[in-house]
Every structure is written in C-alpha cells, then in structure tokens.
Amino acid sequence: MTRTFAVPTSSRRQVLDITNEVAEVVQNNGVSAGLCVVSVPHCTCAVFINEHEEGLVHDVLTLIDGLVSGEDWHHDRIDHNAGAHLGATLLGNSVRAPLEGGNLVLGRWQRIQLIELDGPRHRRINVTLIAG
Ligand code: ZN
C-alpha cells in the first residue's frame, strides 16, 4: 500500500526531517514487518537518510551546491533549474528502511530527510509499505 502526505517547503534549498511523519504512516497502517519505501514524485527534490544535525545539513547543502553550480547546463535554457534537477539525480528519489514490530528500523542518529532544491513548493511524500 502507498500513503501520501504533503510537506510545504519555505526556501529555495532546504533540508527537512520527515521521520516522524513517515513513522506515523507506518504506525497507522498495520504492517508490522517488511520494508518501508519513502519516495518523492518530483524532479527537483530528493530524500536521503543521515543525521539531522545543523552543521551537517549545512554541509550537505554546500556539497550539492558546489557540485551543480557554475556550469552552463543545457536545461537552464528552458527553466533555469538544472542544478536542482542534477542535485536530485545525484541523491535519488527514494530511500528504504526495514520494518520490525510495526516500527521503522533506523540507526540511533539516522533520520529520513527531504532535501528541497527548487523551493519553495508543496512536495508530496509517498510511503509504500511492503509486508514480508
Ligand atoms: Zn527544470
């Protein structure tokens, strides 16, 4: 099954911790063991799992900015957001975590995070639960 929730973003580039929202979907849908897939149906944002620490969030944004800035990207001729598409391509549109006992299995410091690269926008987050 797939459930969707919306996340409004407020800046051009931003990282948001969505772990609690994903955990709420997991807890309300009765799949106690299996796999949780979190994906975004968008081309200019991405999801990743890592520590949600202010300095690291800054570093992730700086890393992506450094990788995608300063080039004459062809897509910028269309709508000036090639960097956002490329950053999203590098990071990917989905992450996965096991489910055990009706809960996400994550490491102590791991958080599921949405990275906005072309905001502000309303983003949809899909949570797919696979029993197994
Ligand atoms: Zn574009």
Side-chain angles (χ1 to χ4, degrees):
M1 82 184 71
T2 297
R3 297 286 181 264
T4 299
F5 63 89
V7 174
T9 63
S10 57
S11 335
R12 181 157 168 78
R13 290 185 178 159
Q14 179 181 20
V15 174
L16 294 167
D17 184 346
I18 58 170
T19 311
N20 292 344
E21 289 87 343
V22 174
E24 195 178 317
V25 172
V26 169
Q27 282 149 19
N28 290 334
N29 284 284
V31 176
S32 60
L35 186 67
C36 174
V37 180
V38 179
S39 62
V40 286
H42 305 290
C43 293
T44 55
C45 67
V47 283
F48 66 93
I49 295 178
N50 214 298
E51 187 173 346
H52 190 72
E53 183 274 324
E54 188 182 346
L56 183 60
V57 164
H58 175 270
D59 293 342
V60 168
L61 290 168
T62 301
L63 173 66
I64 296 300
D65 193 48
L67 289 171
V68 302
S69 297
E71 293 285 337
D72 179 22
W73 303 118
H74 289 203
H75 184 71
D76 282 337
R77 298 169 194 168
I78 298 170
D79 66 0
H80 267 284
N81 66 354
H85 287 273
L86 294 167
T89 301
L90 289 172
L91 288 164
N93 86 315
S94 71
V95 292
R96 295 136 302 276
L99 297 171
E100 254 180 43
N103 293 304
L104 292 165
V105 180
L106 292 170
R108 180 175 177 186
W109 299 108
Q110 286 184 313
R111 305 296 290 178
I112 302 169
Q113 299 174 62
L114 168 71
I115 179 166
E116 174 62 76
L117 297 167
D118 195 28
R121 292 173 186 257
H122 274 81
R123 298 303 196 175
R124 279 176 293 142
I125 313 293
N126 292 324
V127 180
T128 303
L129 304 177
I130 303 164

